[in-house]
């Protein structure tokens, strides 16, 4: 009974932490004294910074309190503590904001950050937990900004298990959760009112992708591109794919030291990314609305063509006659017809016409490269 009462108190405090943060978090100076008073209770509840940010303390507490509940009862009871996981995450974020809060909790935030930098699995768990505050529409932007700052702090080593003596962890069990976390970061990149937060969110996305096992990284990036509904976001993601391919190619050329085994050049699915943008739903794209994404896809296709041709390789299958003719007939020529018509249309504004100029140049270069390759296979 004592354990259940303590578990109930724990969830209640975490719920209060979240509710106070939502209602008063935009006034950090006003909120801090209350947080300083709340945090000493965490020790009595058996909470740790590591357990809060990874979510394990919340899971353990729920298990104690609802161990005898059937599924329907569990759902009903947990509705009273729907923000408990948010609160657990905010426990750490408030400690990150103010030393007074972490000192009141008798917790060392620097030790936590070092642990997460070294332990890849716990770092992934933390990223997934942080999704709760990034995706919470009611939470003030200031707390999301602080959460992003904390995330950059635990990923600043810039890669999977940097500084760790352990073997990299298989990310297959975390792929779905990490994908969800990346989607929440996308929201910040698109909607945050603060330019610095948008920039930091983009940096965080790159670091998280770099932290994912190479064998799964391309799958995650393809899923993000497929689910993206904003042309500018799609373009950014495709550019990240091209950067990954460029890094792999530099390793092949010996320009940088060997690292993780790459999968981007050995995966024919890379062409699916281009096709999904240049031929969505079996036809040409909406060029005016999706010009950023189309230009980025064309640049990726051009880069693959040139690299494979110059290296006398065909790892992606881009130089096979079947793929060349499909790209020529189904992607490039229909797109040329559409772009030519738009450029000649007097109803298209000057702004849109100017925006189509770089796209037209890259498109014609891609057509030239494909024609040359078909003539001289």
């Amino acid at each position: 009974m004592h354990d259940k009462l303590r578990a109930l108190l724990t969830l209640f405090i975490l719920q209060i932490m979240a509710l106070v943060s939502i209602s008063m978090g935009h006034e950090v100076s006003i909120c801090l004294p209350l947080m300083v008073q709340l945090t000493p209770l965490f020790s009595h509840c058996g909470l740790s910074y590591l357990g809060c940010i990874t979510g394990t303390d919340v899971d353990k507490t729920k298990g104690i309190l609802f161990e005898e509940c059937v599924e329907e009862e569990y759902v009903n009871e947990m509705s009273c503590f729907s923000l408990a996981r948010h609160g657990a995450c905010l426990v750490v974020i408030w400690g990150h904001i103010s030393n007074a809060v972490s000192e009141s909790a008798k917790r060392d935030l620097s030790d936590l950050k070092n642990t997460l930098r070294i332990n890849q699995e716990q770092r992934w768990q933390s990223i997934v937990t942080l999704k709760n505050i990034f995706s919470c529409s009611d939470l003030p932007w200031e707390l999301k900004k602080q959460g992003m700052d904390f995330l950059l702090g635990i990923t600043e080593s810039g890669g999977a298990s940097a500084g760790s003596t352990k073997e990299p962890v298989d990310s297959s069990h975390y792929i779905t959760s990490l994908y969800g976390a990346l989607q929440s970061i996308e929201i910040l990149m698109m909607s945050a009112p603060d330019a610095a937060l948008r920039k930091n969110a983009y940096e965080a996305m790159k670091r998280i992708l770099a932290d994912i096992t190479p064998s799964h990284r391309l799958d995650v990036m393809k899923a993000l591109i497929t689910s993206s509904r904003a042309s500018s976001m799609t373009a950014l993601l495709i550019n990240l794919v091209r950067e990954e391919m460029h890094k792999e190619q530099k390793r092949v050329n010996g320009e940088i030291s060997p690292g993780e085994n790459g999968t981007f050049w050995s995966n024919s699915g890379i062409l699916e990314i281009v096709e999904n943008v240049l031929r969505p739903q079996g036809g040409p794209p909406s060029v005016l609305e999706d010009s950023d994404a189309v230009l980025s896809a064309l640049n990726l296709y051009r880069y693959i063509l040139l690299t494979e041709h110059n290296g006398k390789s065909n790892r992606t299958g881009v130089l096979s006659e079947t793929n060349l003719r499909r790209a020529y007939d189904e992607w490039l020529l229909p797109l040329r017809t559409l772009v030519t018509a738009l450029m000649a249309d007097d109803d298209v504004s000057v702004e849109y016409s100017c925006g189509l100029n770089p796209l037209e140049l890259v498109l014609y270069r891609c057509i030239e490269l494909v024609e040359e390759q078909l003539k001289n296979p």
Side-chain angles (χ1 to χ4, degrees), residues 260-296:
E260 58 195 14
N261 294 324
T263 58
F264 283 68
W265 284 102
S266 59
N267 194 321
S268 59
I270 201 76
L271 296 179
E272 294 176 10
I273 294 175
V274 179
E275 183 173 27
N276 288 340
V277 175
L278 299 186
R279 196 170 183 264
Q281 300 178 346
S286 301
V287 175
L288 295 181
E289 293 82 2
D290 299 327
S291 59
D292 289 341
V294 172
L295 177 58
S296 186

Side-chain angles (χ1 to χ4, degrees), residues 119-138:
N119 190 304
Q120 189 178 44
E121 187 167 12
Q122 290 178 334
R123 184 165 62 249
W124 287 341
Q125 292 171 341
S126 302
I127 291 168
V128 172
T129 303
L130 284 165
K131 176 189 71 173
N132 290 288
I133 64 171
F134 295 150
S135 60
C136 181
S137 59
D138 296 324

Side-chain angles (χ1 to χ4, degrees), residues 58-241:
V58 177
D59 293 335
K60 181 175 65 176
T61 302
K62 289 178 180 178
I64 294 172
L65 190 59
F66 304 117
E67 60 182 346
E68 298 176 359
C69 292
V70 297
E71 184 175 352
E72 185 176 349
E73 291 176 339
Y74 175 81
V75 172
N76 291 334
E77 295 293 339
M78 274 309 300
S79 64
C80 300
F81 304 107
S82 58
L83 297 175
R85 200 171 291 275
H86 298 68
C89 188
L90 287 162
V91 166
V92 177
I93 299 307
W94 280 107
H96 172 73
I97 293 173
S98 170
N99 289 333
V101 175
S102 58
E103 290 171 1
S104 175
K106 298 180 180 179
R107 298 290 185 266
D108 191 332
L109 202 65
S110 60
D111 282 349
L112 172 68
K113 291 180 179 179
N114 288 332
T115 297
L116 296 178
R117 291 187 191 111
I118 293 172
N119 190 304
Q120 189 178 44
E121 187 167 12
Q122 290 178 334
R123 184 165 62 249
W124 287 341
Q125 292 171 341
S126 302
I127 291 168
V128 172
T129 303
L130 284 165
K131 176 189 71 173
N132 290 288
I133 64 171
F134 295 150
S135 60
C136 181
S137 59
D138 296 324
L139 200 67
W141 285 109
E142 177 59 28
L143 293 180
K144 295 182 180 183
K145 183 178 180 180
Q146 294 293 339
M148 185 58 63
D149 185 60
F150 177 82
L151 175 55
L152 291 177
I154 65 174
T155 57
E156 63 184 2
S157 53
S161 63
S164 174
T165 57
K166 297 181 179 180
E167 290 294 321
V169 181
D170 180 10
S171 58
S172 58
H173 299 300
Y174 292 93
I175 286 301
T176 301
S177 298
L178 288 171
Y179 169 69
L182 287 165
Q183 284 188 308
S184 71
I185 291 174
E186 275 189 1
I187 295 173
L188 297 186
M189 291 171 60
M190 297 297 296
S191 60
D194 182 53
L197 177 53
R198 295 195 298 271
K199 180 180 178 181
N200 287 341
Y202 179 56
E203 177 63 25
M205 172 175 280
K206 291 195 292 184
R207 293 185 186 184
I208 294 170
L209 287 169
D211 207 17
I212 294 174
T213 309
S215 58
H216 296 112
R217 191 178 304 151
L218 178 58
D219 292 334
V220 173
M221 297 177 82
K222 285 174 63 178
L224 289 170
I225 291 169
T226 301
S227 64
S228 174
R229 294 295 177 264
S231 178
S232 57
M233 177 59 66
T234 303
L236 282 174
L237 291 166
I238 293 176
N239 288 341
L240 288 179
V241 171

